[in-house]
Amino acid sequence: MTRSSCGPFTSVIDFLYKSRTLQQFCALYKKNALVAWRNRRATILRLIAPFLFLLLALLIDKALQANDRNSQAFQDQPNPTPELIGDIPSCHDDLYIGDRPCQELLYSPNNTLSNAIMANVTTRNKIKITATGYRTQDEVNQYLLANTDSVIAAVHFIFDDINKEDTLNGFLLQTNTTVKVFKGDVQDPNKFVQLPVQSAVQRELARYFLSKNPATKPAADNLSWNLYVQVFAHPAIATVSVLGQVLGPFVFAAAMFSFVSQIGFLVSERELGLRQALRTMGMTEAAYWLSWAAWEFTMAFVLGHLICCYGLLLQFRLFLDNSYGLLFFLFFLFLLAMSSLAMFICSFIKKTTIAVYVGFAVFLIGWIMQTVVIFGVPYTPDFYDTLNWALTCIFSMLPWTTLAKGFSDLGAATVSDSSPGLRWSERKSYCLNIPNREDQFSYNPREQYISFKCVMPLNTIYWLYVALWAGFLVLAIYVDNILPNEFNVRRSPWYFLMPSYWIPSLSKGNGLGKLDDSHRAPGDTGATDEDVAAEESKVRSLLNHRTGKAGELASFVEQRNAVEVFGLQKVFPPSGGCAGTCCFCCYSESSPGAFWAIKGSWFTIAENQLFCLLGPNGAGKSTTINCLTGVLPPSHGEALVYGQAISSVAGMDKIRSMMGVCPQFDVLWGELNGREHLQLYASVKGISWRDVVDESATLLEKVKLTYAAGQRTSAYSGGMKRRLSVAIALLGDPKIVYLDEPTTGMDPISRRYVWDIIQEAKVGRAIVLTTHSMEEADILGDRIAIMAKGKLRCIGTSLRLKQKFGSGYQVAVSVVPPRGSQADLQMVAARADNIKQYFRERLGEEPVEEGRVYIHYLIPRNKEAELIPFLKELEQQAAQLGITDVQLSLTSLEEVFLNIAKTAEIEEARNTNQKPMDVPLPDGTILKVPLGMELVTNPATNISYKIKWSTDENGNLCVLDTTPLDATQLAAAIATQGGASSAPVAAPQHPGTVEVRLPDGTSMLVPLNTPYVMNPLTNQPYQVTWGNQGGKPVVLSCVPYTPPGGVQMTPQHTNGAHSQPVMQDAPMQPANYFDGNGRPVGEGSLQIPLPGSMPSTSSNHK
């Protein structure tokens, strides 16, 4: 039922949703929002990560402020306070000396004047100190070198004549000028010792010379000496903002949470097949990329404001004093550029687990590069103008480097409390490249911030981020198209230059008129089954009709086909070599290693029918479905779906609008519920927005999932997921539906219910079904085709296939009385023996299975003529034989499937010349038998055997049973296979070799009747005893041999029998068995077990 609505709002939506891309964009954007909302922990972490890193930056900033609180360099000093120079301190007050033995002063020379001056210095100092005199300055230096960190200062008086006091020219002070820091205490050498010693010596010199003059002697006695030190008035002279340097790497680290999260979501959609499922439903590439770009735009917008708010909340001066717009656009555009970079990187990643490692690598590289930027590389005039401007351009292509540059500028503009910060109008004018001081103009640093050594302002960084955002997004789309996707499909590097890319209707595809038989798989001889050949002939005639060539047309015009497949082929390139290592290398279908998944299929699928495509693993059925649904482009051939070509871009686009697909594996978002999945796919499919809700509810009811419509699919069982996938395939009333194993994982009740849905859905459409359930194919399939090794092996109804490829008829006979009646066990056993004798005499058949109630017989097809009169006779004598029930049925479809798969494997083995298989015979002999041969004869015993072949779970041939045949059974087997020419006979007498197992485990090919052999690997001789069995030479024993009297064995003694031993891959010798005309039917050699060795049953036994 369609929702009715009115008003201008709905009219606007109707108008906008005429664009399929816009409708898909809205649905995909909603999907991204729902996935983010359901992943609350990851989303919340993305939003609060900046706050946590800013909080950590705040702690670092507070620690640095506490460390620099008492330093005038980090304070404004408009009116510095003079500081009195105190007395000389004790040497134990030195941070590096402490309690160790020391003295305060040394002086030179130790003449009368120097001694008097230094004596007054020590006695008039309020703190007790010592002073030791030396004759020369060199002696003082020698003492200081021998006793490090034991003296805080030395005074050297300078005399023209050391013996004359009036020749004093001054003095020198010798101190350690290193600023000493210990446990947070800072000791300035100027204030600690240099100025006090200088003041004390000058004071005592003045006092000494005043006392020499009687007129000034009273002044010397009353001398008052107070010296002060005062720094120049200055603002905070720190020119580098530590906070501006720290915040860049911290905000970058917070942004990495969004970066890694985005990569994870994008790669997981590709890895899980979700993106391909959307594409199969008709999603355009523009809608997909724009939805992700818009979602990341939203997240960047929110995160940009949050980072600004977090900075203001934490009272960072950088956030408080700079314009909010400058900060917001720096963060917002940086996050946008990072989001596009993430999309670009995702184009190279195919596994979600790699996303974490890539994120860590990007973080490490970004952190290192930001550290380099903090030290001025490359955003300084030296690098930009004189060294290498290209380095600046390369750095600027990575968003994190310009983030560090932007933070550095904002931090420098707010370095102190008096710094004015930057306003939005100054985003460009503050940055000037004027390195020459004479050309720089004056300005008030309290009102305006200007940098004369700046090469990239914030305004340039903003535009650079916009360019990076658009550039990385375009590169992401381009690389995603030219690199192989999960199905190894890619576009050419110049695809965007082709008109058909922009106007799909210009794409012509392969074209029916271009089809020919020039492309054939190696060894392909065409159809081997008459029904397949008839189907191909019919489709070829239809091709003639489509292309306007002569042919039988009438029968095809009347029948409406949903799908017409014309010589479809698909070849995959080799896994190694040119095409394997280079994305753009060409390869040939005849190249070694090229895999032919489809070797040329010709068939049609009629409307109102269910076409069941069966085959073992690797048969080509999934590849066929992928070609028909547009996932894989065919290598050769063409297919029409309701008249639209699959090789044409425009045709495939129309096919997707009328196609539904249930893939082999569920492609569902675990965060979305069933209802949201159907609404998403319905919008992508192009269903009117008015009908999306109602159609979703109808399909949920049809597949019995209404009760779980609001439950996340991650909590669905396997059967519930399959039912939801079937519902998605039926969205929009598609004309052609592909169901790839739709009932896998379902319980029997749900499976039967889905079968009913599929049966109902056949009306008015065609359904293509693949399954591994033969029961499902038997019940649902109107026509069944079985593929193996890339070829169509049979096609027809289930009954036709059973009649043609089945082993015959199954007859089940019961002689057990009905329940409630008295039955003698001996009587039942006697009746069973009579039935066996009856079948044995009239049909020559033994029971294949005996149950508690029924005796089962398999009647071959060649006895079909005898079966009807036999059953009539059996019915007439039922009472006499005690028969209570007789059941007759054809062989199962599963047996047909296994027979065809086995035949295909045998054909493939013979076409590729595979080596014979080691088959253990009941007598212990290992016989090398060509793959697929059912009748063989042991040439040593002339006993014939019937080998029962089958295929394992991987589709490889294996031996189920080996049964010896007597003459009667051999004749019957030969008759079953169609003639005496099929009977194997023993090889005629001929000179040859026999493979002999030596006691040390080595096998050697030994010429017949050779008495001695030598192992060339060990030079050990052996004695071989020969006998005769059935006219054939056999080895009776093989033992080590020691020549008598020290005789040396040479190759001449062994008749050359020390030739190369047989290893694992040694070439086989001439055949030991021939067909009825004497022609060899395979290659092989007889292995004879020796005494003390057990015959091996391994296929690698040598």
Side-chain angles (χ1 to χ4, degrees), residues 61 74 174 181 261 270 298 304 342 345 518 527 587 594 615 655 687 696 703 744 777 832 880 940 942 974:
D61 184 52
F74 297 93
Q174 186 175 0
V181 180
S261 176
R270 174 195 245 183
T298 304
I345 293 176
S518 60
Y587 70 96
I655 291 171
I687 298 174
S696 300
V703 296
T744 302
Q880 180 181 350
N942 279 332
I974 293 174

Side-chain angles (χ1 to χ4, degrees), residues 375-419:
F375 287 98
V377 180
Y379 299 106
T380 59
D382 291 337
F383 281 92
Y384 188 77
D385 295 331
T386 61
L387 292 180
N388 191 353
W389 62 269
L391 181 64
T392 305
C393 297
I394 294 173
F395 264 62
S396 300
M397 293 176 65
L398 301 173
W400 46 79
T401 57
T402 44
L403 176 69
K405 172 63 170 62
F407 263 115
S408 179
D409 289 355
L410 293 171
T414 56
V415 70
S416 65
D417 293 336
S418 61
S419 299

Side-chain angles (χ1 to χ4, degrees), residues 910 914-919 921 925-940 942-945 947 949 982-990 1032 1068-1087:
R910 291 177 177 173
Q914 294 186 16
K915 295 179 180 179
M917 179 181 291
D918 290 344
V919 177
L921 302 180
T925 304
I926 305 296
L927 195 64
K928 292 187 177 297
V929 179
L931 297 180
M933 177 163 287
E934 296 184 350
L935 297 178
V936 296
T937 297
N938 186 342
N942 279 332
I943 298 178
S944 297
Y945 296 89
I947 300 177
W949 297 86
S982 301
V985 297
Q989 296 291 338
H990 67 284
K1032 296 295 179 182
M1068 298 296 113
Q1069 295 301 308
N1072 282 332
Y1073 38 84
F1074 294 76
D1075 61 18
N1077 298 319
R1079 295 189 300 268
V1081 295
E1083 293 182 340
S1085 60
L1086 176 64
Q1087 290 190 354

